Amino acid sequence: DMKTTITMRSSMRPLVVFKCELNLEGTEKQIAYAVSIINKKIDNTDSICRNMIHSGKMTIEEYHDGMNNLLKQFESLTSAKYVIENVK
């Protein structure tokens, strides 16, 4: 098991910080790769949300709720191998 914390500031409100506590099983290499996949997914989701906010399709509150829910889903994962095979 390896514990890793990912923190990210809200694109819309820099004082808001999202936090994700990962606890993944696997080899060091698998875990590093899984964390990079999760980071990329978070960044991509953030970018999509930013565009939706700017076009009026999402509120900042919805964005914050959505990001927190996404990070909670990642926190529930325990296998680096699962992340590598299933998170796109």
Side-chain angles (χ1 to χ4, degrees):
D1 285 23
M2 196 171 123
K3 290 185 190 287
T4 308
T5 303
I6 296 173
T7 54
M8 185 195 119
R9 292 195 178 280
S10 163
S11 300
M12 307 311 294
R13 299 215 174 113
L15 293 179
V16 175
V17 177
F18 304 117
K19 198 171 183 181
C20 182
E21 305 274 347
L22 298 173
N23 194 11
L24 299 172
E25 295 169 4
T27 67
E28 205 172 308
K29 203 172 180 181
Q30 282 175 320
I31 292 169
Y33 187 42
V35 170
S36 74
I37 290 170
I38 290 171
N39 267 315
K40 195 172 175 186
K41 179 73 174 177
I42 291 168
D43 288 344
N44 289 345
T45 303
D46 185 59
S47 183
I48 291 165
C49 290
R50 232 183 4 253
N51 291 336
M52 289 178 72
I53 290 167
H54 289 308
S55 63
K57 294 183 178 137
M58 180 183 276
T59 66
I60 292 173
E61 288 70 27
E62 288 169 334
Y63 158 64
H64 287 169
D65 288 346
M67 291 302 286
N68 282 321
N69 287 337
L70 179 66
L71 297 184
K72 274 195 194 88
Q73 286 174 17
F74 287 138
E75 284 183 339
S76 72
L77 301 176
T78 56
S79 164
K81 185 175 187 270
Y82 178 87
V83 172
I84 292 164
E85 291 173 354
N86 295 285
V87 177
K88 304 287 178 237

